[in-house]
Structure formats: structure tokens, C-alpha cells
Amino acid sequence: MTTLNFELPDGTVEEVQVKHLLNAGYAGREQDEVQAHIAELAELGIPGPTTTPALYPVSPYLAQQTSEVRVQHARTSGEAEWALIIAESGVLLTVACDHTDRELEVHGVAWSKNASPDVLGRKAWRLDEVREHLDQITLKGWVGQGEVADTLIQDSSLAALLSPDYWLEVLTERGLNQPGTVLISGTVAMAAGVDQFARSWKVEMTDPVTGLSVDAAYVVEKMAEPIG
């Protein structure tokens, strides 16, 4: 079982054993932004969903805090998202990057979500402490062709996405609102003309009320060619 550790603003560390991992999709509050993301994927040959928002179960071991993601080919990319983590002490919020196999996504979104990890930040906030100003929190993603992600590809706020409380209700309905559940939010539209098939990714959430940020960054490494 995967164990994640999150440093909270007060300096304490929360340990969470991941039992359930779920990826939301097409989860924007504004339909035009949802359709923009569907259009982005359609350009890659990925069919749109039959319903929105969508929710995909993912193997729990794919929730990782890592600085390197191994892939089988060049057509994979990240997505800037937030992550909701249910711990023994309550609900935590951090940033995440859902690394997705775009070649496999053409055949099935749920399959593609299980091909690469969800990279989570090492710091987190308690949801109760930011709930009243969630919509002011910014969500950004950068890509780079070297080891540093220095080109902005996503720039939005949590106001663009369905709220953590929305998803907590969904988890309650499914019997998953319990310690060990991690839910990734779904993403926001990418900037036109920026190559998402990058060597490096960085995602960041910034809270303008507290001045605090949480981030996650990693490089993408292509594995050796298979034999046979």
C-alpha cells in the first residue's frame, strides 16, 4: 500500500495510506472551459465523454510524490489539478499533476489514467482552513523541454473547477468518504500553441490570502525500447 506524507503549515506531518485513488474528468464549473478541454483532446484523437463530470478509479499505488516519471513513448503529458486527501484527522488539499498517456487515451480514458502516476505535492493545507476562499486560490502549470519547467501552459484558479465539497458528496454516495481516499480534481484548459509533450512539468497552487504555495515538479524519462 502506498504511503504519502504531507507537511502542513503548522509544521506537522500527516501520513496517509492510499486505499482508493480516483481521477475526476471534465470537471469544470463553466461548460465552455469543459468543452475547450474536450476540444484539446479531440485534436489528439481522443473521443469525448458520454457524461460530465466523469470519475475514473485508478490503481492506488499510482498516487506518488516523485521527481521522475517513466514513460514508454513521447506522447504523454501532465495536467495541473488539485488533490483532495482524506486523512484520519480530516480532509487535506494539495496540488497534483495527472500524468496521462495520450496514445492510450485514444482507446480509453480510464486505461490511460492507469498508465502513469498522479504526482502529488509534498505540502498540503487543511480544507477547513481554506474553504471560505477556495475560489481565490490559483492553479498553474509549466512545461519545459529541459529539466526546468519554465513555460506557462495552464493558468486558472480553483473557481474554474467543481469544488472539493462537491466531490466529497460524490464520495459519500459511493461509500468512499473515508481515510485513505485520494481524489484528483480534473484539469483546466491548456494555452494554445504550447507543446504539452514536454520533458519537465511543474504545477503550483497559491493562496493569496495566506501567501502560501504548494507545488510538485518532475522530469519525464523515456524507458528503453522493448525487446520482442
Side-chain angles (χ1 to χ4, degrees), residues 33-95:
E33 187 147 341
V34 173
Q35 294 303 318
H37 183 51
I38 291 173
E40 290 168 358
L41 298 180
E43 292 179 1
L44 302 175
I46 299 164
T50 57
T51 185
T52 60
L55 191 62
Y56 307 103
V58 179
S59 299
Y61 69 86
L62 291 173
Q64 297 183 19
Q65 293 167 314
T66 183
S67 58
E68 181 180 281
V69 170
R70 296 273 177 164
V71 299
Q72 292 182 308
H73 54 82
R75 290 181 65 81
T76 70
S77 70
E79 294 179 339
E81 315 199 9
W82 55 252
L84 176 157
I85 304 105
I86 304 180
E88 292 289 348
S89 65
V91 181
L92 309 180
L93 189 71
T94 191
V95 73

Side-chain angles (χ1 to χ4, degrees), residues 36 64 90 98 111 118 140 162 171 199 207 212 221-222:
Q64 297 183 19
D98 167 22
W111 294 348
D118 288 327
K140 296 184 179 183
L162 293 171
L171 293 177
R199 171 80 166 80
D207 183 344
L212 299 176
E221 296 284 358
K222 188 174 180 294

Side-chain angles (χ1 to χ4, degrees), residues 142-173:
W142 293 265
V143 294
Q145 297 308 316
E147 294 192 0
V148 178
D150 52 8
T151 300
L152 188 67
I153 190 170
Q154 292 177 281
D155 186 359
S156 191
S157 74
L158 270 58
L161 296 165
L162 293 171
S163 71
D165 285 330
Y166 171 91
W167 288 111
L168 285 171
E169 290 185 9
V170 173
L171 293 177
T172 298
E173 293 170 359

